Each structure stands twice: as structure tokens, then as C-alpha cells.
Amino acid sequence: MATIDGNLTGLKPKQLKNLEKIFRRRLAPEKIISAELCRYLAGLARETGRQLGILISRRGQITHVIVGTSRGITIPSLHEYRLGHGRLRGLRFIHVHLGEKEPLDQEDLTDLAMLRLDLIGVITITPSGLPAALHLAHLRPGKDHQQPAYEILPPLSPYDLDLQFDTLIREVEGEIVENYQLEVRDPTRQRAFIISVAPAPRHQLEDSVRELEELARGAQLTVAGTYIQNRRLNPKTVIGTGKLQEITIAAMEQGVDLLIFDQELTPMQARNLTEITDLKVIDRTLLILDIFARRAQSREGRLKVELAQLKYRLSWITEKTTALSRLTGGIGGRGPGETTLEIDRRRMRERISTLEKRLARMARSRANARKKRKKNQLPLVSIVGYTNAGKSTLLNTLTNSAVFTENLPFATLDPTTRRLRLPREQEIIITDTVGFIRKLPRDLLAAFRTTLEELRDADLLLHLVDATDEQLAEQVAAVNSLLGSLELQNIPKLMVLNKIDLLRPADYAALVRRYDAIAISARDPRTLPPLLAAI
């Protein structure tokens, strides 16, 4: 027999037996609840002095019996009941409030929205323990978030329940599905909401969200909407309850299955958000790691990304089951043994150690290659700059190469080195490096630090800047900050403004004077002679 959920402490054996009998009842698909079951629940609630609730499937089967306290009731996890795009959960929740004047409250409506229930109902009872009225509410389709996203129906008499549940839920879900189908543009791409919560000026949050949108585009996601909330972070869910309810309903309407937070999430916050919304939840760090994993082509690049991912996920390992699995034994292994969690952590640390050793060997090989280049006495010029500034495009144009380029963040990750002949018959080595970004994940920076430290051997740094970007000043500051953290600020540096073909001459002339820079279009070889002369 199915088990009873909730607060069972202090209940008598007979009361528990009466609660178990509820599972035997079946309802017709068109019935919300029967008058007889209303009376039975009201009587038990009165007897136990606790709120009682049941979850009912669309086939009329009672799947859960829940016991609360005199003031509230908690719905258990419903993850086994999966949700489809634009679909409701397929369960309705009917529970008893211990009073004649205690209809649906805000907590009930929040549960309705967060759990995407078919319907929520409250049975109010008289002092004698008889049902007084049935109060119902359901989600309301549509995208007007200025109004409540639910509809509260007029109270019904428990003895005259003529509302056809199956017809009502078909109409509601039909409208939701219709809205979802109208909204979807490309079914092959995951749809995501971007969320930013911080006690910072709104313009800063908007700038960071715009950059995160570009990163999402680079990860082949469709951004269905953005949400910004200027407030202190909620330690449990990051975002406020009301806004989270709005996001959950909007995600159902628009077929969104991924939430991306601009702020770094703790494992607990991510877990709480996933349980509440039933959506996949990631943060900025995990999105950038995913992009790097897509872009890395060389063996070394893939190992560095794997190392960064393992270090990031090490702190996220949580026990997913209460079962105490013991997988080791024998001499020295008797007693409590190792839990699955401990084994997972140990294996992950072993893999991290292996990767670090492999990368260290590769770093030594690269150091030997640098020594050989120094013997040839060829000057080394490295192109640095913010992601998507056009570094690979410039390298291609200067050296007639075919390095992959695309208008996406981190389109190329692996450093590329080429020879370049200058106008006065002088040869140099020119290198394209990985792009920089604000709030670059710590683990990723640590993994790529050995690559970036090669910049110390450079005789000249070309700091390439996208002259068309509205955040030009912030991007220049971010690059300079990262170069400073690598102690590269003393290497000669040449500022180069790219994409001037997209600006008016007067606009980029002002930037040239401001930054003492050279203006070019990396795609147009005719604009490059001043750059070569300066090099």
C-alpha cells in the first residue's frame, strides 16, 4: 500500500488506518472530488486537528495522502511526475483548512504556480467538522505578468459539485499549449531564461546580462527572456519568491527548460531552484565551461577544459540517495567502509591529479619549443583582447591562414602560432591567444594560466579592441586587469581598434586619440600597413 506523507507524529493507530483507507478510493475522471470524500477528509481533519490533503491523478487515482499541522501542509517532491513543454503536472491537490473562513491563501497559490498543478482546492469546515465550501483555483494561460497568473473560481458547495474537471483542464491546458506553440521558433535549440540578481546599479546588471546573452548564443541556446532583480541574494533561492513564481509560469508558457543565472550559484541554491521549478539550472561559470568544452580542439585544450570542469564539479557532488552503499571491503576495509559519495570524490581527485601531471608534461614541451624559438632570435608578438574582438580574423588576414572564425564568444580557444614577414624583410612569430572576459571562472583561469603565462615571452602585445562595442572601456579595463594579475603589465603594448569599417571616421578618430591606438579593420588588408609599421 502507498505510504502516507507528512507529520505523522502523535497520530493514533486507528487514525493512521483511516488515512490509509483513502488510497482505496477512486474518482470518476470528470469529478474534482466527491461529496462523500469531502465529508471523510473534513471529519478526519477535525479529529486529528491537522490539515489533510490528497493528490489525485487525472484518472481519478489518489497518489498521495499528506498530513500537515494545524497551520500548514507541505507537498512532497513530485519529480517522478515529469512535465512537458506547456503542460501541467497531471495532479490536482485538494486539502482541508481547519476553519470555516480559511479559503485559499497565498501559499496555496504559490504551490499551484511553482508545482504547475492542474488545480488546487481547499475544503473549509464548520465547527462540527462538516465541509462548508470548496474553494478552487487553476493556472491561467497568457503572458500578461502584470496580473496574477491564476484564476480563482467562485466557492462551490461540497454537496453540489457540478463542475466538469476533465473539460476544464482540457481547455486550460489547450490554451497553454497553443501559446507555447506560437512562441517556439526553433525546436532544435534549447530555450533559456537569463536571470540576474544583485544589489548593484541596474545599468551594470543590464550590461552583464547582455554579455551573458551573447554567451548563451555562443552555446547555441535561444534566449526567451531576461529577468533582472535589484536586491540582496536570497540564500536559499537567489531570487525572490514572487519573481520565481513569475519565471516558473512564464517558462511553462514559453517552452523554457533552462534557467541561467548571472551570479555564481552554490550547490544548495541550484538544487533548491531545480526542485522548485523542475527546470535545469546553471550559472555563468557552467555556461562558460560548456562553451569551452564545445570549442576546444587540441588535446591539451580538451584536457584543460576537463580539468576546470572537474574542479568546479567537485564541490557540487551531493548524495543523491539515502541508501548507504558500501563498495569496499576486505583487509583494512571492514567496518563502515566508503560511501558512494566518498568514492566519487576520490575518483574525481585522482582524475584531477592525472590531468595536472599530463598538462605539466605538455607545459615542459612547450617551454622547450619556446627555447628553440629564442635561439632563432625571432621576435614574438602576441594578440590579446576581449573575446570576439577579432583576434583570429586579424591573424588570418596577416598570415593568409584559415583559423576558424565566427561572430561568437570564444569561437577559438587553442593558441595559434604563425610566421609573419614585415615590410622590411624582418620575420616575427605572431600568436593568437584565448579571449578574455569579465568574471572569468577561477577554475578555468587556473587551467589556462600556463597558456597565458607564455605571454611573458612576448616582445610585444597587440591589445585588440572591438571599437563598436558599447562596453569598450569596461572590456579594456578587464583585459588590463587580467594582464596585471599575470604580471605582464611591463611588456610593451600596442592598442589596436578593430571593426572601424562599422563606424564613422569621426567616431573612431576620437577613440584613436583617447587610447593612443591604431585603427584597423581586420577583414580589410588595406587598413593594416600602419599596424605593420608600428609593430
Side-chain angles (χ1 to χ4, degrees):
M1 183 177 288
T3 58
I4 304 167
D5 295 290
N7 178 28
L8 306 183
T9 306
L11 292 181
K12 298 176 183 178
K14 184 178 180 181
Q15 292 171 335
L16 290 172
K17 194 169 184 178
N18 288 335
L19 288 168
E20 288 174 352
K21 290 179 181 179
I22 298 174
F23 286 108
R24 303 175 190 170
R25 299 172 179 266
R26 292 295 295 264
L27 296 169
E30 69 275 7
K31 292 282 189 182
I32 294 174
I33 190 171
S34 66
E36 195 272 334
L37 184 53
C38 278
R39 286 196 300 271
Y40 192 79
L41 289 173
L44 278 177
R46 175 69 176 170
E47 180 185 346
T48 60
R50 308 181 191 194
Q51 293 189 16
L52 300 180
I54 55 174
L55 284 162
I56 310 169
S57 72
R58 292 187 186 176
R59 292 181 297 176
Q61 178 185 359
I62 296 172
T63 62
H64 294 74
V65 174
I66 309 164
V67 181
T69 66
S70 60
R71 295 188 176 184
I73 191 167
T74 302
I75 301 175
S77 174
L78 302 177
H79 287 155
E80 66 269 28
Y81 298 90
R82 303 307 301 168
L83 295 165
H85 291 317
R87 299 285 182 182
L88 299 173
R89 197 174 289 271
L91 295 173
R92 58 191 181 273
F93 180 53
I94 309 294
H95 61 298
V96 182
H97 280 185
L98 300 177
E100 194 169 353
K101 297 182 179 180
E102 296 182 19
L104 289 160
D105 55 27
Q106 188 57 49
E107 187 176 345
D108 294 325
L109 298 174
T110 300
D111 286 340
L112 172 67
M114 295 294 195
L115 298 175
R116 285 161 62 176
L117 299 170
D118 288 355
L119 194 77
I120 196 162
V122 166
I123 302 169
T124 55
I125 61 176
T126 64
S128 60
L130 294 174
L134 177 62
H135 302 265
L136 300 170
H138 62 79
L139 291 177
R140 186 181 65 189
K143 303 186 182 67
D144 183 8
H145 300 308
Q146 302 303 316
Q147 299 295 327
Y150 42 77
E151 182 173 342
I152 300 176
L153 303 179
L156 299 176
S157 168
Y159 307 101
D160 186 20
L161 299 173
D162 57 354
L163 183 64
Q164 296 290 310
F165 170 74
D166 55 346
T167 303
L168 172 67
I169 207 63
R170 272 200 306 269
E171 292 175 356
V172 171
E173 195 169 58
E175 291 181 44
I176 293 173
V177 171
E178 183 180 353
N179 286 336
Y180 162 69
Q181 291 172 342
L182 290 174
E183 180 68 25
V184 169
R185 296 292 180 266
D186 185 356
T188 64
R189 293 168 69 99
Q190 262 191 306
R191 296 172 64 79
F193 281 153
I194 290 177
I195 304 164
S196 181
V197 184
R202 188 172 182 85
H203 69 89
Q204 289 184 11
L205 298 179
E206 290 174 347
D207 292 342
S208 188
V209 163
R210 276 195 294 269
E211 185 172 86
L212 197 56
E213 285 186 80
E214 283 299 302
L215 290 170
R217 190 171 64 88
Q220 299 180 357
L221 298 171
T222 297
V223 178
T226 60
Y227 293 85
I228 295 175
Q229 197 172 40
N230 191 311
R231 56 164 287 169
R232 293 179 61 186
L233 271 64
N234 184 317
K236 291 185 178 180
T237 58
V238 182
I239 199 166
T241 303
K243 183 65 72 173
L244 189 58
Q245 177 179 329
E246 177 185 325
I247 290 170
T248 303
I249 296 171
M252 174 187 65
E253 293 173 347
Q254 300 183 42
V256 167
D257 42 26
L258 178 63
L259 302 181
I260 307 173
F261 280 79
D262 194 23
Q263 288 69 36
E264 191 166 326
L265 301 176
T266 66
M268 182 197 73
Q269 289 169 340
R271 186 167 60 250
N272 290 343
L273 287 164
T274 299
E275 289 177 354
I276 291 170
T277 64
D278 213 41
L279 301 169
K280 184 176 181 181
V281 178
I282 65 172
D283 57 15
R284 184 188 185 96
T285 297
L286 201 55
L287 178 63
I288 293 175
L289 287 172
D290 181 79
I291 294 172
F292 270 61
R294 289 170 180 265
R295 300 282 190 269
Q297 298 296 323
S298 69
R299 182 166 173 264
E300 184 179 8
R302 289 196 293 268
L303 290 178
K304 287 178 177 177
V305 173
E306 183 184 354
L307 177 61
Q309 288 176 325
L310 286 173
K311 287 184 174 180
Y312 176 78
R313 290 172 179 162
L314 184 60
S315 63
W316 283 64
I317 297 181
T318 55
E319 222 162 341
K320 300 182 186 301
T321 174
T322 55
L324 297 177
S325 302
R326 309 295 178 181
L327 301 183
T328 59
I331 301 300
R334 303 185 192 280
E338 274 188 302
T339 64
T340 303
L341 176 63
E342 290 163 349
I343 288 175
D344 288 343
R345 283 178 174 163
R346 176 169 54 79
R347 287 175 177 168
M348 192 170 285
R349 290 192 184 102
E350 288 172 354
R351 178 61 178 167
I352 288 172
S353 178
T354 301
L355 291 176
E356 288 176 338
K357 290 176 182 177
R358 287 186 187 177
L359 289 170
R361 288 196 296 269
M362 291 180 177
R364 287 195 292 270
S365 298
R366 259 198 330 274
N368 292 332
R370 290 202 303 272
K371 289 179 181 178
K372 291 180 181 178
R373 284 203 301 267
K374 284 184 178 180
K375 287 181 180 178
N376 295 331
Q377 294 185 343
L378 291 179
L380 177 62
V381 176
S382 293
I383 308 173
V384 298
Y386 212 75
T387 182
N388 210 24
K391 297 182 296 298
S392 298
T393 302
L394 177 59
L395 182 72
N396 285 341
T397 305
L398 287 172
T399 62
N400 294 319
S401 302
V403 177
F404 174 77
T405 61
E406 193 171 346
N407 184 24
L408 290 173
F410 303 114
T412 52
L413 288 185
D414 301 309
T416 305
T417 300
R418 297 286 187 271
R419 285 196 178 207
L420 173 63
R421 184 177 293 274
L422 295 177
R424 296 182 180 179
E425 299 302 318
Q426 182 185 9
E427 282 195 341
I428 64 170
I429 301 293
I430 188 164
T431 303
D432 172 26
T433 60
V434 64
F436 299 165
I437 195 170
R438 284 173 287 181
K439 295 190 279 188
L440 189 68
R442 293 187 301 273
D443 295 327
L444 202 54
L445 179 59
F448 279 83
R449 182 173 287 274
T450 53
T451 301
L452 295 172
E453 284 177 349
E454 288 192 11
L455 297 173
R456 291 178 180 174
D457 296 325
D459 299 287
L460 175 67
L461 299 179
L462 294 185
H463 182 176
L464 195 67
V465 180
D466 181 355
T468 64
D469 200 295
E470 295 178 358
Q471 304 303 312
L472 183 150
E474 289 81 359
Q475 292 178 2
V476 169
V479 172
N480 288 335
S481 174
L482 186 53
L483 292 176
S485 69
L486 295 170
E487 300 179 355
L488 302 174
Q489 65 271 24
N490 295 326
I491 298 176
K493 186 168 57 177
L494 185 61
M495 182 78 78
V496 183
L497 298 173
N498 189 23
K499 306 184 185 180
I500 61 169
D501 52 314
L502 303 178
L503 293 175
R504 296 178 303 175
D507 292 336
Y508 69 75
L511 291 174
V512 167
R513 291 192 297 272
R514 178 180 174 184
Y515 290 103
D516 190 21
I518 293 174
I520 67 164
S521 171
R523 292 181 176 178
D524 187 354
R526 294 171 299 177
T527 66
L528 300 183
L531 173 61
L532 294 174
I535 292 174

